[in-house]
Amino acid sequence: MNAFTGKRNSGQRPKKRRFNGNQHSKCNSVGNVSQESSPVSSNPGISSTPEPVRISASRRKLDLKSSSVPFTSTFKGNIIFDKALLFSFLENNLRCKVCTVRVSISDKRGAGLSSLMSIYCNSCNIQLSTRNSKLLGPKTEINRWITYAMRSVGQGLESMKTFCGIMDLNPPASQNSYEQICRRVNAASKNVANESMKKAADEEVAAVDSTDITVGVDGTWKTRVHTSQIGDCTVIGADTGKVIDVEVLSKACIGCSRWKGPRLGSAFKKWHTRHSQVCTKNHIGSSGKMEGDGMVKLFQRSESERGLRYLKYIGDGDSSTFFVNLGMSCIWWKCTSFKSRMCWTCSKTNGLSSPKIIKKYGSKKLYDNKKISGKGRLTDNIIYQLSVFYGNVIRKHSNSVKDMRNAVWAIYFHTRSTDNEPLHSFCPAGETSWCKYNQAVSKRTAETFRHKNSLPPAVMDAIKRIFNS
């Protein structure tokens, strides 16, 4: 009985509801109505537009697409889950959309961390499957992701196996698959790096409005001593501070060491022809010679690959090892005024480093009867700060020796200044100065200014020769 029809008379039966058919079989979508359920009135005064039919929640659930269709959700990122928890939750809450019977879920391991999850209905014999990662061609993306992640933190396949074992994940890819993925990652990384460096070269040209530029050059090795098997050389734009080109040199190749037989005969020739395409050995000679050879390669290809000429370079003392080679190798160098500027970029060659200073003075006492190091004196943190300031000054004033000299002495006297003896004549003046004392002078508050972190005169006299060099 309808509660809104009022009280029913005694002995009167409620009106029997008439069956009008299943609404799900009489319409296919919202707004589509069969003529049987919505007849058009013959009265011309009445609109012939059918009324839209409301779709129930059950109908919308039945219209859901199969899980074989790729997801178009806005959810991004990855997550690690416990299969027992997730699959149990899904089996207890999912129903077959045809027979509404509970479904069963299983997974099948693929290659590496790839797996295939299947949803199966025993009543209808319907099975739907999906992967735990997107496909990149015939293979899944998850194996490349974990390989790239481990390589980014400096680890390889064995560390990946340990990680997967501790996390109770499937074993990673095999050795052959891992090497294949590494080659693909390496090729993709090279392409991205090349595009980034070409963009940096264009920015450098726009900054100086010329293709003849000044660059900072330096080389480094994988290990500290000059017996490293791997080294690299870098060219950095002086105005933008961005890397323009890089050359990596290697004296060894792991693939070459795998050949155990004699290096003669047809078998070796076949192997060498195949291996030469992926061999990483590109340097013959000592490790110390890597910097010179690498810089020559960078300068030789500057015009062909970057459209630039490095007419001036800023480098440290080691740069002299390839200065002569550049004159013999670069054709455009012979007809231009190639210049070099010595720059103690990392403050290594000027002695402003903790090992050198400590080694020289050790436990000796200065004229104030105290050691050079200790609390309130020369510590590793202060040495690091001074070396950073020194390098910044050299790079910022590379076009003027006079400005560079004044800026270097500004660091020295600023660090030596005290409340009784303020020495800030070399520091820039004005409210925008990095020197807080000169800021206080411009604001007329110098009387209340207090110096902090100043070094004693004995310590400053001991390191004065470094700034005077």
Side-chain angles (χ1 to χ4, degrees), residues 273-344:
T273 302
R274 184 175 62 256
H275 174 71
S276 60
Q277 301 177 359
V278 295
C279 184
T280 59
K281 184 178 180 180
N282 59 357
H283 177 75
I284 299 175
S286 63
S287 300
K289 195 171 177 287
M290 286 183 178
E291 185 177 12
D293 293 350
M295 288 301 176
V296 169
K297 292 181 181 180
L298 293 175
F299 276 69
Q300 284 179 337
R301 69 189 187 202
S302 63
E303 285 188 299
S304 60
E305 296 192 7
R306 298 293 183 264
L308 303 173
R309 295 195 304 177
Y310 310 143
L311 295 191
K312 300 177 182 179
Y313 79 83
I314 304 171
D316 54 18
D318 297 336
S319 302
S320 59
T321 58
F322 62 85
F323 182 76
V324 177
N325 294 334
L326 290 176
M328 300 173 59
S329 305
C330 298
I331 298 175
W332 52 263
W333 178 87
K334 299 177 182 179
C335 58
T336 56
S337 57
F338 187 92
K339 296 181 180 180
S340 67
R341 294 192 177 114
M342 306 308 292
C343 170
W344 296 304

Side-chain angles (χ1 to χ4, degrees), residues 95 109 175-176 187 228 265 298 322 325 342 397 418 443 448:
R95 298 290 188 274
R109 184 201 167 199
Q175 181 70 40
N176 292 336
S228 177
L298 293 175
F322 62 85
N325 294 334
M342 306 308 292
H397 301 284
T418 60
K443 296 177 182 178
T448 59

